[in-house]
Each structure stands twice: as structure tokens, then as C-alpha cells.
């Protein structure tokens, strides 16, 4: 497998020393989100908005029409979205969380609950901000980092059934399914499982929404792993996924290959009207939402490239290449590898650091100090704080290495594997952290840490 593109424009990387990085991370309060990105060599913090756009997307940027209302770029965007997700209403937002904010501010509220396979952090925060409860009901395999299962993102249908049966009518305004399940290791959901969720939603009369950020990678996994789906066009699989849902939220910064953007799409006319009213208040007029016309063009083109089979084969294979290299170097990895990221099981690598001393944070800091690699803790720092302020260990303590789309080459990945191997070889020397200061919600973005001696 080779990268199915050649490089058209380059960005320089700045090389730093270990001492420079130790100083930089200390000044950042040991929070990788506080670093200057220029002090990072390989930025695996996120695959969100960090991909390289194509020649044709840059051409779209030039074509962008900035008319306030009814821009041709809006109609290009709308057609591209509805080609894959034929929902009646498409509400453009500046990114995924703005779509979540609009949806949950309309359907959420105290006494309500939203089940999901696993809520992403912004999704959970937007649900909880309205006073509603965010419930995670992924299959048991999805919580076991080493368990091999082709669809570890699947919803636990029996648990969902029991949950819905126990709730008072009208208190579950929606069921969500996140494809792929980012917080659970970037694991896909099968078509069969989504059909099962649909059947339960029908039985209880509850709408089903997809959090569809990584829909194309999920569809590729379905094509590769689900019996009867091999040989099918990914775009076709995506349309079937959409046909099972009543609506979706989307971050165009992921699979749609754009640097910004998102949308909320749905079929319900009355609900769409209420959501549009919030959109006008918080984002913008309904034909641009939170975006410039040029962004709408970049997304429209990105959507066409996102379902290209050569691209998806490269995307999923190159991410697995990283995971295989790390596993060979002795790092305990979440299996199988996700489409957009690989996840190191920091709790297994650092058994001497208890979860409430944040083993994921310890590993992420060590990877930065050693090799300038920026990953992201997905564990007790991110999820360990309950709404009442108390702390408990998250289900897993992972470090995510998220791979920006079309951005790094195989030799960059080989370098990352070498650095990780060096850190794993001295894992016993790593120490945990305590939190020195933190905000009330989404603390991982701004908390400051102190190393424990
Ligand atoms: N849902 C999922 C599954 C996500 O992964 C994200 C973002 C969002 C919603 C929110 O979208 O960032 O456009 O507001 N995930 C990024 C990440 C930030 O690094 O995984 P957004």
C-alpha cells in the first residue's frame, strides 16, 4: 500500500531538543493542549480539522460564493450532504459541537436521558449542560481494550432495551449512535447492530440520531468485516446507515476532510424549525450557518473524496500500520485498530500508576518529552469527573494517537514507533500527576497538572 496522492504544498516541521520540550511542557502545566503547536513535531492530538485538503478542495475555496442568503456554495454543500445523507433538513454549523448544542438545547432538559454507545466528551457535556443524563451502553467487548471483536462500537441491545423499558414515556427524547465510537477506541458499529437499535427505537417510539463524524471509516469497516457487505460501494453503505436514522450530527473536520464545519440533519419538520431558530440566534442564517461559502465548497468536495475506496483503503491500512508497529514494540494496544487513531492502553503499560494519578496523562507527557509527539489522554482526566464534582476512574485509561488525514508519511509513522518503543522500555520510571487547577466542565482542555514524585 502506498499513499494514493503526491504532495503539492509542504509545511516545515521544527526540530526541538528534549530539554526544550521539557521546559515547554512544564510551562504548559503538563497539559498538551496548552503547548504551542510549533513546539510539536508530530501532532497526533486529533484528526479533527487537521487533515490536508486536496487540490480540488482548494479550488472549491476559490469558487466559494459569500452571498449572505442562497449562495451557490450552499446548494453545492446541500447536494453533497444529501447525496450521502438524504435527510429533509440540513442545518449547517461551524463544527460538530454546535450541532449538538442546538439539538440538545431543543430536545434535552432536566429529567431526560440520552443513551449512546459512548458519548464523545462534547456530546456528553452538551447533554449534561441541559440537565439531561448521558448514558453509555456500548457492548461489553467495547470496554475491554484487548478483546478482539469486529464491531466493538456496537450498542448493547439488551441493555438498551432494559434501559428504555425502565424509563417513563417521554423522558428519552433520542437514542444516539456514534460511528465510529471515538471514545471507545474508534471502533465501528455494524449495520446489523444499527438495524437492531432502529427496531428498539421503533418499539419505544424514540427517534434515532447518528453522531456520524467518522461515517466513511465506519462504512469501510462494514465493507471489510460484515458478512454480505464485501464488494459494496461505501457510498451505498453510508446511505443505508442514514436510512436507519431520523437525523444526525456531524463534524466536517473529520471524515469530510475539511478544516472547519459541521451540520445537524433531520427529517422532522417541526423539530427542524425549532433547531433553525436556535441556529439563527447562535450561528447564522440557515444557508450558511456558522460557515463561510468557501468552507461549504471545501466540505462538498471533501465528502466526495471521503468515500473514495483508494483513499479509505490507504486511510485504514496506514492507521493499522502505526498500531502494528507499536504492538511489536511492546505497547499494549486497543484491538483492533481504529480508523482514525490507535489507542495505547496506558493503564496496562503503567500498572504502578493508579487511575486517579492519571496514567494516560503520564504516558502522553512522556511521548512529548521524548520525541515531540503530541497524543491525547482519553481516560480519567477526560471522563473521571462526575457532574457533582466527585472523581472516579474512567472505564479505561488510554492515550489516543489520532492520525490527521493525508498529512504525515510512512517515515513519520516509523519515527513515532521508535519514540514509543523507547518510552515503553522505561515505563517503570514514569510517574503520575495530580491536578493543580481545573474548570467545572471539559477539564482536559485547560486543567493544569503537577508531577508526583
Ligand atoms: N462527536 C465525535 C464522535 C467527535 O469525535 C467529535 C470531535 C465531536 C462529536 C465534536 O465535533 O470537534 O467539530 O465540535 N472530536 C474531536 C476529537 C475533537 O479530537 O476526537 P467538533
Amino acid at each position: 500500500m502506498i499513499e494514493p496522492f503526491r504532495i503539492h504544498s509542504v509545511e516545515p516541521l521544527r526540530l526541538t531538543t528534549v530539554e526544550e520540550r521539557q521546559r515547554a511542557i512544564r510551562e504548559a502545566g503538563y497539559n498538551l493542549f496548552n503547548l504551542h503547536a510549533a513546539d510539536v513535531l508530530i501532532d497526533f492530538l486529533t484528526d479533527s480539522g487537521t487533515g490536508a485538503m486536496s487540490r480540488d478542495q482548494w479550488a472549491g475555496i476559490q469558487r466559494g460564493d459569500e452571498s449572505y442568503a442562497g449562495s451557490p456554495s450552499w446548494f453545492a454543500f446541500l447536494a453533497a450532504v444529501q447525496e450521502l445523507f438524504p435527510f429533509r433538513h440540513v442545518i449547517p454549523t461551524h463544527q460538530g459541537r454546535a450541532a449538538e448544542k442546538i439539538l440538545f438545547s431543543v430536545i434535552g432538559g432536566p429529567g431526560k436521558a440520552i443513551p449512546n454507545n459512548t458519548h464523545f466528551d462534547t456530546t456528553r457535556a452538551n447533554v449534561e449542560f441541559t440537565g439531561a443524563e448521558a448514558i453509555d451502553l456500548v457492548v461489553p467487548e467495547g470496554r475491554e481494550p484487548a478483546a478482539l471483536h469486529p464491531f466493538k462500537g456496537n450498542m448493547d441491545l439488551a441493555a438498551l432495551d432494559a434501559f428504555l423499558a425502565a424509563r417513563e414515556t417521554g423522558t428519552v427524547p433520542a437514542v444516539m449512535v456514534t460511528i465510529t465510537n471515538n471514545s471507545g477506541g474508534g471502533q465501528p458499529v455494524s449495520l446489523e447492530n444499527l438495524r437492531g437499535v432502529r427496531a428498539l427505537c421503533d418499539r419505544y417510539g424514540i427517534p434515532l440520531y447518528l453522531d456520524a463524524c467518522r461515517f466513511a471509516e465506519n462504512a469501510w469497516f462494514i465493507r471489510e468485516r460484515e458478512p454480505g457487505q464485501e464488494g459494496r460501494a461505501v457510498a451505498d453503505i453510508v446511505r443505508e446507515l442514514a436510512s436507519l436514522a431520523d437525523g444526525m450530527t456531524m463534524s466536517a473536520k473529520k471524515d469530510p476532510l475539511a478544516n472547519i464545519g459541521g451540520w445537524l440533519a433531520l427529517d422532522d419538520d417541526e423539530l427542524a424549525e425549532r433547531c433553525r431558530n436556535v441556529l439563527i440566534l447562535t450561528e447564522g442564517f440557515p444557508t450558511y450557518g456558522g460557515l463561510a461559502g468557501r468552507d461549504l465548497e471545501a466540505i462538498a468536495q471533501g465528502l466526495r473524496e471521503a468515500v473514495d475506496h483508494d483513499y479509505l483503503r490507504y486511510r485504514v491500512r496506514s492507521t493499522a500500520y502505526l498500531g502494528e508497529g507499536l504492538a511489536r514494540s511492546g505497547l499494549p494496544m486497543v484491538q483492533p485498530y481504529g480508523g482514525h487513531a490507535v489507542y495505547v492502553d496506558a493503564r496496562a503499560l503503567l500498572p504502578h500508576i493508579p487511575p486517579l494519578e492519571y496514567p494516560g496523562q503520564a504516558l502522553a507527557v512522556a511521548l512529548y518529552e521524548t520525541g515531540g509527539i503530541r497524543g491525547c489522554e482519553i481516560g480519567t482526566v477526560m471522563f473521571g469527573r462526575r457532574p457533582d464534582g466527585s472523581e472516579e476512574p474512567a472505564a479505561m485509561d488510554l492515550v489516543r494517537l489520532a492520525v490527521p488525514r493525508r498529512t504525515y508519511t510512512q517515515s513519520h509513522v516509523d519515527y513515532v514507533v521508535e519514540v514509543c518503543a523507547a518510552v515503553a522500555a522505561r515505563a517503570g520510571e514514569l510517574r503520575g500527576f495530580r491536578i493543580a487547577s481545573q474548570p467545572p466542565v471539559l477539564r482536559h482542555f485547560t486543567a493544569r497538572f503537577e508531577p508526583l514524585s
Side-chain angles (χ1 to χ4, degrees):
M1 197 279 305
I2 60 165
E3 288 88 355
F5 50 80
R6 56 185 178 183
I7 294 165
H8 168 269
S9 142
V10 297
E11 281 179 85
L13 290 175
R14 194 169 75 84
L15 300 168
T16 52
T17 63
V18 172
E19 293 69 34
E20 285 172 319
R21 294 193 291 270
Q22 284 171 337
R23 183 166 2 100
I25 194 70
R26 191 171 56 242
E27 286 169 2
Y30 295 94
N31 186 332
L32 292 116
F33 285 98
N34 287 340
L35 287 169
H36 291 235
D39 293 334
V40 174
L41 186 61
I42 305 289
D43 206 346
F44 281 178
L45 183 65
T46 176
D47 64 319
S48 180
T50 51
M53 288 208 295
S54 67
R55 175 192 63 192
D56 295 340
Q57 284 180 290
W58 283 109
I61 293 266
Q62 287 297 319
R63 224 174 19 244
D65 178 300
E66 303 305 338
S67 303
Y68 188 92
S71 154
S73 300
W74 154 252
F75 290 104
F77 167 85
L78 182 64
V81 171
Q82 288 180 329
E83 170 74 18
L84 293 170
F85 306 98
F87 295 111
R88 287 159 51 77
H89 303 279
V90 179
I91 297 176
T93 60
H94 77 276
Q95 59 184 86
R97 70 199 66 183
E100 295 162 5
K101 168 81 186 163
I102 291 172
L103 178 65
F104 295 123
S105 67
V106 172
I107 68 170
K112 307 256 174 85
I114 315 276
N116 200 328
N117 43 0
T118 314
H119 288 85
F120 184 65
D121 58 351
T122 60
T123 322
R124 168 172 291 279
N126 271 307
V127 169
E128 289 176 349
F129 189 75
T130 71
E133 251 184 299
I135 312 287
D136 292 342
L137 296 176
V138 74
V139 289
E141 293 88 341
R143 295 178 204 269
E144 286 168 35
L148 272 171
H149 183 289
F151 292 103
K152 283 171 82 170
N154 280 354
M155 187 78 93
D156 184 333
L157 296 176
L160 179 64
D161 192 2
F163 176 79
L164 296 177
R167 295 284 310 191
E168 241 172 81
T169 312
T171 62
V172 181
V175 172
M176 278 208 113
V177 175
T178 305
I179 58 172
T180 58
N181 188 26
N182 183 12
S183 303
Q187 302 293 327
V189 174
S190 70
L191 264 175
E192 185 192 21
N193 185 255
L194 197 65
R195 288 191 199 109
V197 176
R198 174 77 259 170
L200 286 172
C201 286
D202 285 343
R203 175 158 1 127
Y204 292 95
I206 297 171
L208 170 59
Y209 282 79
L210 297 175
D211 176 345
C213 301
R214 300 180 180 84
F215 69 96
E217 293 167 6
N218 199 107
W220 182 259
F221 283 124
I222 287 173
R223 186 180 193 270
E224 285 202 318
R225 297 180 185 170
E226 189 157 348
Q229 299 301 320
E230 60 278 358
R232 198 170 165 198
V234 163
D236 220 45
I237 296 174
V238 173
R239 279 185 287 268
E240 183 171 352
L241 290 167
S243 76
L244 293 167
D246 298 285
M248 67 187 294
T249 57
M250 175 63 109
S251 168
K253 304 173 73 169
K254 282 82 173 178
D255 276 359
L257 289 160
N259 299 128
I260 196 73
W263 67 85
L264 166 65
L266 65 170
D267 279 333
D268 182 324
D269 296 339
E270 190 264 333
L271 190 59
E273 197 49 42
R274 290 163 66 201
C275 290
R276 269 204 195 94
N277 289 336
V278 182
L279 179 85
I280 294 173
L281 205 64
T282 58
E283 293 277 294
F285 188 74
T287 64
Y288 70 84
L291 294 165
R294 65 180 78 98
D295 301 324
L296 296 168
E297 293 276 357
I299 296 167
Q301 177 59 26
L303 279 172
R304 287 189 277 275
E305 296 172 16
V307 293
D308 178 83
H309 288 195
D310 289 342
Y311 159 70
L312 282 170
R313 187 175 295 110
Y314 144 77
R315 172 70 178 154
V316 167
R317 182 65 205 118
S318 59
T319 303
Y321 175 85
L322 169 62
E324 287 161 11
L326 297 181
R328 258 200 314 279
S329 308
L331 287 108
M333 304 299 297
V334 174
Q335 301 281 350
Y337 307 117
H340 72 298
V342 301
Y343 296 69
V344 185
D345 183 351
R347 197 178 284 175
L349 180 70
L350 306 172
H352 58 289
I353 302 181
L356 294 181
E357 294 179 7
Y358 314 122
Q361 193 66 21
L363 177 60
V365 167
L367 295 181
Y368 175 71
E369 288 179 338
T370 308
I373 298 162
R374 176 155 71 167
C376 182
E377 193 262 13
I378 299 212
T380 303
V381 173
M382 193 178 271
F383 296 115
R385 191 169 206 236
R386 298 160 54 87
D388 68 4
S390 62
E391 287 240 355
E392 61 176 13
M396 300 188 260
D397 277 294
L398 308 177
V399 171
R400 183 184 73 171
L401 301 177
V403 187
R405 294 172 180 77
R406 307 188 292 206
T407 302
Y408 293 106
T409 64
Q410 185 170 330
S411 44
H412 289 121
V413 172
D414 290 336
Y415 166 82
V416 171
V417 170
E418 281 174 37
V419 171
C420 293
V423 170
R426 56 178 183 79
E429 297 165 23
L430 269 51
R431 293 290 166 265
F433 283 86
R434 63 174 285 274
I435 291 183
S437 65
Q438 59 181 313
V441 286
L442 296 179
R443 65 177 181 177
H444 53 286
F445 289 128
T446 53
R448 295 184 76 85
F449 299 85
E450 279 166 8
L452 296 165
S453 54

